[in-house]
mmCIF file of all heavy atoms in Angstrom:
data_model
loop_
_atom_site.group_PDB
_atom_site.id
_atom_site.type_symbol
_atom_site.label_atom_id
_atom_site.label_comp_id
_atom_site.label_asym_id
_atom_site.label_seq_id
_atom_site.Cartn_x
_atom_site.Cartn_y
_atom_site.Cartn_z
ATOM 1 N N ARG A 1 64.984 67.478 107.507
ATOM 2 C CA ARG A 1 65.834 66.624 106.682
ATOM 3 C C ARG A 1 67.251 67.198 106.730
ATOM 4 O O ARG A 1 67.461 68.378 106.429
ATOM 5 C CB ARG A 1 65.288 66.618 105.260
ATOM 6 C CG ARG A 1 66.016 65.733 104.271
ATOM 7 C CD ARG A 1 65.427 65.880 102.873
ATOM 8 N NE ARG A 1 64.050 65.436 102.828
ATOM 9 C CZ ARG A 1 62.986 66.250 102.757
ATOM 10 N NH1 ARG A 1 63.177 67.572 102.726
ATOM 11 N NH2 ARG A 1 61.757 65.779 102.711
ATOM 12 N N VAL A 2 68.222 66.389 107.101
ATOM 13 C CA VAL A 2 69.612 66.829 107.154
ATOM 14 C C VAL A 2 70.401 66.099 106.066
ATOM 15 O O VAL A 2 70.461 64.874 106.034
ATOM 16 C CB VAL A 2 70.243 66.553 108.539
ATOM 17 C CG1 VAL A 2 71.701 66.989 108.550
ATOM 18 C CG2 VAL A 2 69.468 67.290 109.636
ATOM 19 N N LEU A 3 70.991 66.889 105.171
ATOM 20 C CA LEU A 3 71.788 66.337 104.070
ATOM 21 C C LEU A 3 73.252 66.560 104.381
ATOM 22 O O LEU A 3 73.720 67.695 104.445
ATOM 23 C CB LEU A 3 71.414 67.027 102.760
ATOM 24 C CG LEU A 3 69.951 66.946 102.333
ATOM 25 C CD1 LEU A 3 69.737 67.725 101.027
ATOM 26 C CD2 LEU A 3 69.509 65.499 102.162
ATOM 27 N N PRO A 4 74.013 65.486 104.583
ATOM 28 C CA PRO A 4 75.449 65.658 104.828
ATOM 29 C C PRO A 4 76.171 66.002 103.530
ATOM 30 O O PRO A 4 75.943 65.391 102.488
ATOM 31 C CB PRO A 4 75.880 64.283 105.357
ATOM 32 C CG PRO A 4 74.892 63.323 104.769
ATOM 33 C CD PRO A 4 73.602 64.073 104.624
ATOM 34 N N ILE A 5 77.036 66.990 103.580
ATOM 35 C CA ILE A 5 77.902 67.333 102.456
ATOM 36 C C ILE A 5 79.202 66.554 102.655
ATOM 37 O O ILE A 5 79.836 66.650 103.695
ATOM 38 C CB ILE A 5 78.176 68.839 102.381
ATOM 39 C CG1 ILE A 5 76.847 69.614 102.310
ATOM 40 C CG2 ILE A 5 79.057 69.181 101.194
ATOM 41 C CD1 ILE A 5 75.982 69.289 101.127
ATOM 42 N N GLY A 6 79.585 65.772 101.650
ATOM 43 C CA GLY A 6 80.770 64.940 101.773
ATOM 44 C C GLY A 6 82.058 65.740 101.644
ATOM 45 O O GLY A 6 82.096 66.796 101.005
ATOM 46 N N ALA A 7 83.113 65.239 102.257
ATOM 47 C CA ALA A 7 84.425 65.887 102.153
ATOM 48 C C ALA A 7 85.051 65.603 100.802
ATOM 49 O O ALA A 7 84.924 64.509 100.254
ATOM 50 C CB ALA A 7 85.336 65.361 103.263
ATOM 51 N N MET A 8 85.726 66.596 100.256
ATOM 52 C CA MET A 8 86.455 66.402 98.984
ATOM 53 C C MET A 8 87.704 65.569 99.170
ATOM 54 O O MET A 8 88.089 64.790 98.310
ATOM 55 C CB MET A 8 86.826 67.758 98.372
ATOM 56 C CG MET A 8 85.640 68.569 97.859
ATOM 57 S SD MET A 8 86.118 70.241 97.343
ATOM 58 C CE MET A 8 87.133 69.903 95.901
ATOM 59 N N THR A 9 88.382 65.773 100.313
ATOM 60 C CA THR A 9 89.610 65.048 100.582
ATOM 61 C C THR A 9 89.522 64.375 101.955
ATOM 62 O O THR A 9 88.788 64.837 102.832
ATOM 63 C CB THR A 9 90.844 65.982 100.554
ATOM 64 O OG1 THR A 9 90.713 66.972 101.586
ATOM 65 C CG2 THR A 9 90.991 66.664 99.196
ATOM 66 N N GLN A 10 90.260 63.320 102.114
ATOM 67 C CA GLN A 10 90.224 62.546 103.350
ATOM 68 C C GLN A 10 90.686 63.406 104.524
ATOM 69 O O GLN A 10 91.738 64.034 104.479
ATOM 70 C CB GLN A 10 91.097 61.308 103.219
ATOM 71 C CG GLN A 10 90.556 60.313 102.197
ATOM 72 C CD GLN A 10 91.466 59.106 102.048
ATOM 73 O OE1 GLN A 10 92.329 58.837 102.880
ATOM 74 N NE2 GLN A 10 91.254 58.340 100.961
ATOM 75 N N GLY A 11 89.838 63.414 105.560
ATOM 76 C CA GLY A 11 90.139 64.215 106.736
ATOM 77 C C GLY A 11 90.165 65.692 106.500
ATOM 78 O O GLY A 11 90.624 66.454 107.353
ATOM 79 N N LEU A 12 89.689 66.147 105.342
ATOM 80 C CA LEU A 12 89.753 67.557 104.927
ATOM 81 C C LEU A 12 91.178 68.070 104.931
ATOM 82 O O LEU A 12 91.428 69.268 105.086
ATOM 83 C CB LEU A 12 88.866 68.439 105.831
ATOM 84 C CG LEU A 12 87.367 68.163 105.775
ATOM 85 C CD1 LEU A 12 86.637 69.027 106.814
ATOM 86 C CD2 LEU A 12 86.797 68.441 104.388
ATOM 87 N N GLU A 13 92.139 67.175 104.715
ATOM 88 C CA GLU A 13 93.540 67.550 104.769
ATOM 89 C C GLU A 13 94.074 68.075 103.432
ATOM 90 O O GLU A 13 95.227 68.521 103.351
ATOM 91 C CB GLU A 13 94.370 66.375 105.249
ATOM 92 C CG GLU A 13 94.053 65.982 106.698
ATOM 93 C CD GLU A 13 94.812 64.750 107.157
ATOM 94 O OE1 GLU A 13 95.519 64.140 106.305
ATOM 95 O OE2 GLU A 13 94.705 64.393 108.343
ATOM 96 N N GLY A 14 93.251 68.001 102.380
ATOM 97 C CA GLY A 14 93.657 68.592 101.104
ATOM 98 C C GLY A 14 94.667 67.790 100.317
ATOM 99 O O GLY A 14 95.310 68.332 99.420
ATOM 100 N N MET A 15 94.751 66.501 100.593
ATOM 101 C CA MET A 15 95.780 65.710 99.941
ATOM 102 C C MET A 15 95.200 64.534 99.121
ATOM 103 O O MET A 15 95.460 64.432 97.921
ATOM 104 C CB MET A 15 96.774 65.166 100.979
ATOM 105 C CG MET A 15 97.517 66.280 101.735
ATOM 106 S SD MET A 15 98.527 65.673 103.069
ATOM 107 C CE MET A 15 99.729 64.681 102.168
ATOM 108 N N THR A 16 94.409 63.678 99.733
ATOM 109 C CA THR A 16 93.898 62.486 99.075
ATOM 110 C C THR A 16 92.409 62.589 98.854
ATOM 111 O O THR A 16 91.649 62.843 99.806
ATOM 112 C CB THR A 16 94.199 61.235 99.928
ATOM 113 O OG1 THR A 16 95.604 61.180 100.193
ATOM 114 C CG2 THR A 16 93.798 59.964 99.181
ATOM 115 N N ILE A 17 91.964 62.412 97.621
ATOM 116 C CA ILE A 17 90.556 62.554 97.273
ATOM 117 C C ILE A 17 89.732 61.423 97.900
ATOM 118 O O ILE A 17 90.185 60.277 97.965
ATOM 119 C CB ILE A 17 90.383 62.567 95.732
ATOM 120 C CG1 ILE A 17 91.118 63.772 95.135
ATOM 121 C CG2 ILE A 17 88.904 62.606 95.356
ATOM 122 C CD1 ILE A 17 91.227 63.731 93.639
ATOM 123 N N THR A 18 88.552 61.756 98.371
ATOM 124 C CA THR A 18 87.678 60.767 98.978
ATOM 125 C C THR A 18 86.997 59.885 97.917
ATOM 126 O O THR A 18 87.053 60.175 96.724
ATOM 127 C CB THR A 18 86.573 61.447 99.811
ATOM 128 O OG1 THR A 18 85.875 62.387 98.944
ATOM 129 C CG2 THR A 18 87.150 62.158 101.005
ATOM 130 N N GLU A 19 86.328 58.822 98.386
ATOM 131 C CA GLU A 19 85.542 57.960 97.498
ATOM 132 C C GLU A 19 84.185 58.622 97.287
ATOM 133 O O GLU A 19 83.207 58.333 97.974
ATOM 134 C CB GLU A 19 85.388 56.583 98.123
ATOM 135 C CG GLU A 19 86.675 55.792 98.200
ATOM 136 C CD GLU A 19 87.198 55.397 96.812
ATOM 137 O OE1 GLU A 19 86.410 55.373 95.853
ATOM 138 O OE2 GLU A 19 88.403 55.142 96.700
ATOM 139 N N MET A 20 84.146 59.521 96.308
ATOM 140 C CA MET A 20 82.961 60.353 96.135
ATOM 141 C C MET A 20 81.747 59.551 95.679
ATOM 142 O O MET A 20 80.613 59.889 96.032
ATOM 143 C CB MET A 20 83.265 61.482 95.151
ATOM 144 C CG MET A 20 84.302 62.470 95.661
ATOM 145 S SD MET A 20 84.556 63.824 94.489
ATOM 146 C CE MET A 20 85.961 64.661 95.259
ATOM 147 N N ALA A 21 81.958 58.514 94.918
ATOM 148 C CA ALA A 21 80.817 57.685 94.473
ATOM 149 C C ALA A 21 80.108 57.083 95.691
ATOM 150 O O ALA A 21 78.883 57.038 95.755
ATOM 151 C CB ALA A 21 81.298 56.593 93.517
ATOM 152 N N ALA A 22 80.901 56.589 96.639
ATOM 153 C CA ALA A 22 80.327 55.996 97.842
ATOM 154 C C ALA A 22 79.635 57.051 98.694
ATOM 155 O O ALA A 22 78.578 56.788 99.288
ATOM 156 C CB ALA A 22 81.426 55.303 98.651
ATOM 157 N N LEU A 23 80.186 58.256 98.758
ATOM 158 C CA LEU A 23 79.543 59.330 99.492
ATOM 159 C C LEU A 23 78.216 59.711 98.876
ATOM 160 O O LEU A 23 77.216 59.942 99.580
ATOM 161 C CB LEU A 23 80.470 60.548 99.570
ATOM 162 C CG LEU A 23 81.709 60.406 100.473
ATOM 163 C CD1 LEU A 23 82.642 61.592 100.280
ATOM 164 C CD2 LEU A 23 81.301 60.284 101.950
ATOM 165 N N LYS A 24 78.172 59.754 97.555
ATOM 166 C CA LYS A 24 76.913 60.077 96.883
ATOM 167 C C LYS A 24 75.876 59.008 97.170
ATOM 168 O O LYS A 24 74.703 59.309 97.456
ATOM 169 C CB LYS A 24 77.125 60.225 95.376
ATOM 170 C CG LYS A 24 75.848 60.582 94.633
ATOM 171 C CD LYS A 24 76.077 60.817 93.158
ATOM 172 C CE LYS A 24 74.779 61.218 92.464
ATOM 173 N NZ LYS A 24 74.963 61.467 91.016
ATOM 174 N N GLN A 25 76.279 57.762 97.117
ATOM 175 C CA GLN A 25 75.360 56.664 97.383
ATOM 176 C C GLN A 25 74.852 56.711 98.817
ATOM 177 O O GLN A 25 73.739 56.293 99.117
ATOM 178 C CB GLN A 25 76.044 55.324 97.108
ATOM 179 C CG GLN A 25 75.091 54.152 97.091
ATOM 180 C CD GLN A 25 75.769 52.893 96.563
ATOM 181 O OE1 GLN A 25 76.950 52.873 96.305
ATOM 182 N NE2 GLN A 25 74.990 51.847 96.395
ATOM 183 N N ALA A 26 75.664 57.254 99.724
ATOM 184 C CA ALA A 26 75.272 57.373 101.124
ATOM 185 C C ALA A 26 74.411 58.602 101.400
ATOM 186 O O ALA A 26 74.056 58.867 102.552
ATOM 187 C CB ALA A 26 76.514 57.422 102.017
ATOM 188 N N GLY A 27 74.093 59.370 100.352
ATOM 189 C CA GLY A 27 73.163 60.480 100.519
ATOM 190 C C GLY A 27 73.760 61.861 100.496
ATOM 191 O O GLY A 27 73.085 62.828 100.843
ATOM 192 N N CYS A 28 75.025 61.978 100.108
ATOM 193 C CA CYS A 28 75.656 63.302 100.017
ATOM 194 C C CYS A 28 75.363 63.918 98.636
ATOM 195 O O CYS A 28 75.787 63.366 97.621
ATOM 196 C CB CYS A 28 77.159 63.203 100.212
ATOM 197 S SG CYS A 28 77.664 62.588 101.835
ATOM 198 N N PRO A 29 74.647 65.042 98.548
ATOM 199 C CA PRO A 29 74.342 65.651 97.255
ATOM 200 C C PRO A 29 75.457 66.505 96.689
ATOM 201 O O PRO A 29 75.396 66.950 95.561
ATOM 202 C CB PRO A 29 73.117 66.513 97.559
ATOM 203 C CG PRO A 29 73.351 66.922 98.987
ATOM 204 C CD PRO A 29 74.032 65.786 99.667
ATOM 205 N N ALA A 30 76.503 66.755 97.507
ATOM 206 C CA ALA A 30 77.614 67.621 97.087
ATOM 207 C C ALA A 30 78.827 67.291 97.921
ATOM 208 O O ALA A 30 78.743 66.563 98.924
ATOM 209 C CB ALA A 30 77.232 69.100 97.248
ATOM 210 N N VAL A 31 79.978 67.809 97.498
ATOM 211 C CA VAL A 31 81.213 67.648 98.258
ATOM 212 C C VAL A 31 81.804 69.030 98.510
ATOM 213 O O VAL A 31 81.548 69.971 97.781
ATOM 214 C CB VAL A 31 82.234 66.746 97.534
ATOM 215 C CG1 VAL A 31 81.732 65.302 97.493
ATOM 216 C CG2 VAL A 31 82.553 67.263 96.140
ATOM 217 N N SER A 32 82.626 69.098 99.567
ATOM 218 C CA SER A 32 83.152 70.396 99.985
ATOM 219 C C SER A 32 84.375 70.191 100.863
ATOM 220 O O SER A 32 84.612 69.095 101.363
ATOM 221 C CB SER A 32 82.058 71.139 100.784
ATOM 222 O OG SER A 32 82.574 72.270 101.437
ATOM 223 N N GLN A 33 85.136 71.242 101.038
ATOM 224 C CA GLN A 33 86.217 71.273 102.014
ATOM 225 C C GLN A 33 85.827 72.068 103.247
ATOM 226 O O GLN A 33 86.673 72.348 104.099
ATOM 227 C CB GLN A 33 87.478 71.882 101.394
ATOM 228 C CG GLN A 33 88.291 70.928 100.551
ATOM 229 C CD GLN A 33 88.957 69.830 101.357
ATOM 230 O OE1 GLN A 33 88.540 68.663 101.292
ATOM 231 N NE2 GLN A 33 89.979 70.191 102.119
ATOM 232 N N ALA A 34 84.548 72.473 103.330
ATOM 233 C CA ALA A 34 84.103 73.358 104.411
ATOM 234 C C ALA A 34 85.016 74.598 104.387
ATOM 235 O O ALA A 34 85.122 75.250 103.358
ATOM 236 C CB ALA A 34 84.088 72.654 105.764
ATOM 237 N N ASN A 35 85.662 74.908 105.500
ATOM 238 C CA ASN A 35 86.568 76.062 105.546
ATOM 239 C C ASN A 35 88.028 75.670 105.449
ATOM 240 O O ASN A 35 88.912 76.500 105.711
ATOM 241 C CB ASN A 35 86.342 76.854 106.837
ATOM 242 C CG ASN A 35 84.974 77.526 106.873
ATOM 243 O OD1 ASN A 35 84.237 77.501 105.921
ATOM 244 N ND2 ASN A 35 84.654 78.133 108.001
ATOM 245 N N ARG A 36 88.309 74.435 105.093
ATOM 246 C CA ARG A 36 89.680 73.948 105.008
ATOM 247 C C ARG A 36 90.198 74.066 103.564
ATOM 248 O O ARG A 36 89.494 73.707 102.637
ATOM 249 C CB ARG A 36 89.777 72.499 105.467
ATOM 250 C CG ARG A 36 89.005 72.196 106.758
ATOM 251 C CD ARG A 36 89.775 72.469 107.992
ATOM 252 N NE ARG A 36 88.991 72.089 109.169
ATOM 253 C CZ ARG A 36 88.956 70.882 109.694
ATOM 254 N NH1 ARG A 36 89.670 69.915 109.125
ATOM 255 N NH2 ARG A 36 88.230 70.631 110.758
ATOM 256 N N PRO A 37 91.411 74.522 103.359
ATOM 257 C CA PRO A 37 91.886 74.735 101.992
ATOM 258 C C PRO A 37 92.473 73.468 101.359
ATOM 259 O O PRO A 37 92.874 72.524 102.048
ATOM 260 C CB PRO A 37 93.002 75.774 102.198
ATOM 261 C CG PRO A 37 93.549 75.459 103.562
ATOM 262 C CD PRO A 37 92.358 75.029 104.392
ATOM 263 N N ILE A 38 92.463 73.457 100.031
ATOM 264 C CA ILE A 38 93.300 72.531 99.250
ATOM 265 C C ILE A 38 94.392 73.411 98.648
ATOM 266 O O ILE A 38 94.143 74.177 97.728
ATOM 267 C CB ILE A 38 92.513 71.817 98.157
ATOM 268 C CG1 ILE A 38 91.423 70.917 98.779
ATOM 269 C CG2 ILE A 38 93.439 70.969 97.286
ATOM 270 C CD1 ILE A 38 90.578 70.188 97.730
ATOM 271 N N HIS A 39 95.597 73.326 99.178
ATOM 272 C CA HIS A 39 96.668 74.195 98.698
ATOM 273 C C HIS A 39 97.127 73.810 97.286
ATOM 274 O O HIS A 39 97.512 74.677 96.489
ATOM 275 C CB HIS A 39 97.854 74.147 99.650
ATOM 276 C CG HIS A 39 97.619 74.887 100.935
ATOM 277 N ND1 HIS A 39 97.684 76.266 101.031
ATOM 278 C CD2 HIS A 39 97.287 74.445 102.179
ATOM 279 C CE1 HIS A 39 97.410 76.644 102.263
ATOM 280 N NE2 HIS A 39 97.170 75.560 102.989
ATOM 281 N N SER A 40 97.059 72.529 96.971
ATOM 282 C CA SER A 40 97.543 72.072 95.655
ATOM 283 C C SER A 40 96.480 72.286 94.588
ATOM 284 O O SER A 40 95.372 71.763 94.658
ATOM 285 C CB SER A 40 97.886 70.595 95.719
ATOM 286 O OG SER A 40 98.085 70.058 94.424
ATOM 287 N N THR A 41 96.806 73.091 93.575
ATOM 288 C CA THR A 41 95.886 73.296 92.468
ATOM 289 C C THR A 41 95.636 71.992 91.714
ATOM 290 O O THR A 41 94.541 71.760 91.190
ATOM 291 C CB THR A 41 96.447 74.378 91.507
ATOM 292 O OG1 THR A 41 96.703 75.572 92.256
ATOM 293 C CG2 THR A 41 95.455 74.695 90.397
ATOM 294 N N GLN A 42 96.642 71.150 91.649
ATOM 295 C CA GLN A 42 96.470 69.872 90.962
ATOM 296 C C GLN A 42 95.470 68.982 91.699
ATOM 297 O O GLN A 42 94.600 68.340 91.053
ATOM 298 C CB GLN A 42 97.824 69.155 90.831
ATOM 299 C CG GLN A 42 97.804 67.888 89.983
ATOM 300 C CD GLN A 42 97.559 68.183 88.520
ATOM 301 O OE1 GLN A 42 96.426 68.373 88.099
ATOM 302 N NE2 GLN A 42 98.640 68.225 87.730
ATOM 303 N N VAL A 43 95.574 68.895 93.012
ATOM 304 C CA VAL A 43 94.597 68.106 93.777
ATOM 305 C C VAL A 43 93.201 68.705 93.618
ATOM 306 O O VAL A 43 92.209 67.963 93.452
ATOM 307 C CB VAL A 43 94.988 68.058 95.271
ATOM 308 C CG1 VAL A 43 93.878 67.393 96.096
ATOM 309 C CG2 VAL A 43 96.306 67.299 95.440
#
């Protein structure tokens, strides 16, 4: 069983938040940036 972890931001670019509700509905149990940073504390 392979569970995809959804991206927190579009393209993992750390700027625009993804549609997390849709990712959850598509089978993502969590979200992550993998090894890519979000530089903005506000984002």
